[in-house]
Amino acid sequence: MGFILAIDQGTTSSRAIVFDDKLNIVTSAQEEFAQHFPDSGWVEHDCMDLWTTTLSTCRAAIDKAGISATDIAAIGITNQRETTLVWDRKTGEPIHNAIVWQDRRTSDMCQRLKADGHEEMVTKRTGLLLDPYFSGTKLAWLLDTVDGARARAEAGELVFGTVDSWLIWHLTGGKRHVTDATNAARTLLYDIIKGEWSSEICDLLNIPMAMLPEVLDCGADFGIAEAEHLGAAIPILGVAGDQQAATIGQACFKPGMLKSTYGTGCFALLNTGDTPVMSKNRLLTTIAYQLEGKPTYALEGSIFVAGAVVQWLRDGLKVIGAAPDTHALAQQADDTQDVVLVPAFTGLGAPYWNAECRGAMFGLTRGSGVAEVARAALESVGYQTRDLLEAMQADWGDTGDTALRVDGGMSASDWAMQFLSDILDAPVDRPKILETTAMGAAWLAGQRAGIYPNMQGFADIWALENRFQPQMEQDLRDRKYRAWKRAVAAAQAF
C-alpha cells in the first residue's frame, strides 16, 4: 500500500504516473486525444475522451508498474483548468462537448459585461478579469445555447464541473460531485475571500447555484474510486489545478517564493501567503492551495507563447528539426546583432492583455539568419517572464534574492534558463524532477494518506538539479530589456 497514483489530465493528453513511498516515479502512461475546432476561436473536447483516456492510462500505468490496484494507497488528480463541462446529474450524460480554457466564444459576452460596469465587482470577488478564459461565461453560454439546458438546470437535473469534478463523478460512480478550492477559484463564480460560491455573480450570469459542486480543500476525502474501474476501491485524497499543483510540487510554500512553468505557454505564480493581493498591474489573484480550511493565495501571470515559439520555428518556419536545436543555434548567433521577436501570435497575455496584438520581429539585417531568430525566440520567453515578475513585485513588493523555480519542457534548455537568470538578474533553480505538476497532486494525496511527509518535510526533500546564476553585465541587461519594451510598444502600435 505504498504507492500513489497521480492523474494528470491535460489539454492535449491524459497521463497517469505511479509514485512510490519515497515520491520517486515508478512508471507512467500517456494518451493523446482529439482537439475539436467547430468555429473560429472555438476549442472543444469530447467529454468522454477525457474520461476514457484517463481510465486507460491509469490501468496502463498500474500494469507497467507491475503492481496491483490494492497496492495503491490513494489517487491524486491535477487537471487543465477552466475547461467547462455540464452533464446529467443521474446518468452522467454530457449535454455538449467540453468547452476548453482556450476557447474565445464568449468574448462578446465579456465585453458587454465590462461595458455594463461589472468587472470591478467580479474582480473584487474572484481576483479574475472578465475574460472568456474562465469557466463562468462558458457555462452561461451552454445554458443559453443548448436546447432545453436552462430548464433542465433549473429543475436540478444538470450539474456543472471542471475536469476534476467530471473525473471524480465517474470514478465514484456518480456518488460525489465535488471540486477543490484551486479549481473553483478559476471558474469566475467563486468568492476567494469568503470561500464560497458567489450568489451575486451567479445571478449576474443567470446560473442556478444547485449546479455547482461542493468545494473541498486540496487534500481531502473526495470519494472512493470504485473497484470496477481500476481493480480495487481506492480513495481520492488530493486535487489541484495544474498550475497550482506545480506550485505545490515545487514546494513554493513560503510567501515570496516563485515558480514558472514553461509549456506551450508560461504560468508564473508568486505565493503571497494568507493575503489575497489584488493586482494593479493586470495580474490575477488566485488560490495557490488550501489545506485544513486555510487558503494560501498567489498572484498569477500568464504568457500565451513560450514553448509554442519553438514549435513555430519547427512547424511554421521549418528552420529547425527538433526543439533542442534552438540551444545550439542560440550559441552560434552573432552577438553584435540585436534581433528582437515579440511572439504575440495569439495576442499578448499579462501584464498587457492585448488580444489584438500580433507577432513581430525587429532589428533584422542582411546578416540575420536562423541562429539569430532562434536566439530571439528563446530570449522572448525571458523578457516576458521579466514583465510578469516586475508586475508581481510592483503589486506585492520586492522578492529579494528569492530564486525562481522552473519546470516544463523549455526548462530543460540550459541556454534558455541561463538567459532567464541573466535578464531577471536573479537565480533560477531547476529541480531534479521536472514532473512537478503530477508530483504536487501525488504529494497532496500521499500526505493525506499518511505516506508522505508534511509540508516542511516535503520542502526538505525538494532536490535541486542546477542553479543558474546571473552572469550578464548590468548595462547589457538594461539595454536588451529596453529594446524589448520598445519592440512590444511598436508591435502594439501596429
Side-chain angles (χ1 to χ4, degrees):
M1 292 286 289
F3 297 92
I4 299 294
L5 176 64
I7 294 170
D8 184 355
Q9 202 300 302
T11 307
T12 59
S13 68
S14 298
R15 294 193 306 153
I17 300 178
V18 175
F19 289 84
D20 67 15
D21 60 354
K22 304 297 184 188
L23 263 170
N24 297 310
I25 294 175
V26 177
T27 191
S28 66
Q30 183 168 350
E31 189 173 336
E32 294 186 356
F33 51 85
Q35 308 292 303
H36 301 278
F37 308 100
D39 205 343
S40 177
W42 294 25
V43 188
E44 295 180 358
H45 293 154
D46 184 319
C47 299
M48 295 310 297
D49 283 350
L50 304 182
W51 163 238
T52 58
T53 56
T54 294
L55 185 59
S56 62
T57 53
C58 285
R59 290 170 173 170
I62 293 170
D63 186 58
K64 287 170 65 178
I67 61 175
S68 166
T70 57
D71 297 320
I72 297 172
I75 294 171
I77 297 174
T78 184
N79 56 283
Q80 54 168 312
R81 305 176 302 173
E82 299 97 12
T83 294
T84 302
L85 303 92
V86 175
W87 64 95
D88 186 284
R89 185 185 297 275
K90 292 183 179 179
T91 68
E93 184 72 23
I95 68 166
H96 190 275
N97 277 348
I99 303 181
V100 180
W101 59 272
Q102 300 158 313
D103 190 282
R104 307 298 293 176
R105 76 186 64 188
T106 62
S107 291
D108 290 345
M109 186 189 304
C110 291
Q111 290 302 321
R112 287 196 302 272
L113 291 166
K114 287 181 185 179
D116 291 342
H118 295 298
E119 185 166 60
E120 183 178 354
M121 181 274 290
V122 170
T123 299
K124 184 178 179 181
R125 302 285 187 275
T126 68
L128 309 177
L129 304 172
L130 272 172
D131 191 271
Y133 179 25
F134 306 108
S135 312
T137 56
K138 294 178 171 68
L139 174 54
W141 184 93
L142 286 168
L143 294 179
D144 290 338
T145 306
V146 177
D147 188 37
R150 182 164 297 284
R152 293 180 65 195
E154 290 173 351
E157 297 175 14
L158 300 180
V159 293
F160 151 78
T162 43
V163 173
D164 58 310
S165 298
W166 171 249
L167 297 180
I168 293 168
W169 193 95
H170 279 279
L171 285 166
T172 63
K175 293 182 176 65
R176 298 283 278 166
H177 181 219
V178 293
T179 189
D180 85 293
T182 68
N183 278 295
R186 310 298 295 191
T187 62
L188 206 73
L189 304 173
Y190 188 72
D191 188 322
I192 64 171
I193 309 302
K194 293 183 178 179
E196 61 187 29
W197 297 112
S198 170
S199 58
E200 189 174 5
I201 299 175
C202 287
D203 287 345
L204 175 66
L205 297 178
N206 199 15
I207 292 170
M209 295 187 71
M211 298 184 72
L212 308 179
E214 180 186 358
V215 182
L216 306 177
D217 288 349
C218 297
D221 298 325
F222 290 89
I224 304 292
E226 295 188 337
E228 67 178 277
H229 299 308
L230 301 175
I234 307 172
I236 305 164
L237 299 182
V239 176
D242 53 10
Q243 300 309 318
Q244 284 91 342
T247 302
I248 295 166
Q250 289 278 32
C252 290
F253 295 136
K254 295 180 180 178
M257 293 187 75
L258 293 154
K259 80 89 191 174
S260 193
T261 299
Y262 296 96
T264 300
C266 163
F267 297 87
L269 270 78
L270 167 68
N271 184 325
T272 63
D274 57 8
T275 305
V277 177
M278 294 299 168
S279 178
K280 296 180 175 62
N281 294 280
R282 305 289 283 173
L283 300 175
L284 305 176
T285 305
T286 195
I287 295 176
Y289 50 86
Q290 181 171 303
L291 299 170
E292 297 179 356
K294 181 181 178 182
T296 294
Y297 296 96
L299 282 169
E300 178 176 327
S302 307
I303 297 169
F304 296 155
V305 175
V309 74
V310 176
Q311 294 171 335
W312 173 69
L313 294 178
R314 184 192 65 196
D315 302 333
L317 295 186
K318 301 186 187 303
V319 295
I320 62 171
D325 296 348
T326 55
H327 181 102
L329 285 167
Q331 290 178 312
Q332 299 166 16
D334 181 357
D335 288 337
T336 66
Q337 295 195 44
D338 294 318
V339 179
V340 180
L341 170 62
V342 181
F345 305 136
T346 56
L348 286 170
Y352 307 103
W353 291 105
N354 187 333
E356 306 306 318
C357 187
R358 290 297 176 262
M361 201 178 306
F362 301 89
L364 294 172
T365 71
R366 283 287 300 273
S368 302
V370 173
E372 286 71 33
V373 174
R375 183 184 65 183
L378 294 182
E379 287 182 341
S380 72
V381 178
Y383 293 134
Q384 291 179 99
T385 304
R386 179 166 168 176
D387 287 342
L388 294 183
L389 267 58
E390 289 197 349
M392 287 177 172
Q393 291 177 345
D395 281 331
W396 192 71
D398 190 2
T399 56
D401 59 357
T402 301
L404 173 66
R405 293 186 171 182
V406 296
D407 54 81
M410 186 174 275
S411 68
S413 168
D414 287 355
W415 195 95
M417 294 302 100
Q418 182 58 56
F419 179 78
L420 181 61
S421 175
D422 285 339
I423 204 65
L424 296 179
D425 191 22
V428 170
D429 285 355
R430 185 170 64 198
K432 286 185 176 179
I433 297 178
L434 293 178
E435 296 284 3
T436 55
T437 304
M439 177 174 282
W443 177 77
L444 286 169
Q447 197 270 338
R448 180 84 178 177
I451 292 175
Y452 295 153
N454 62 16
M455 186 178 288
Q456 185 57 55
F458 179 62
D460 290 343
I461 63 174
W462 181 91
L464 178 70
E465 184 266 336
N466 196 359
R467 167 167 282 193
F468 298 88
Q469 295 279 13
Q471 300 173 0
M472 187 178 286
E473 294 292 333
Q474 188 65 45
D475 287 348
L476 178 59
R477 178 183 298 113
D478 291 342
R479 179 171 63 80
K480 289 178 78 68
Y481 190 59
R482 283 196 302 269
W484 163 257
K485 298 295 279 188
R486 289 196 305 273
V488 171
Q492 293 191 90
F494 177 79

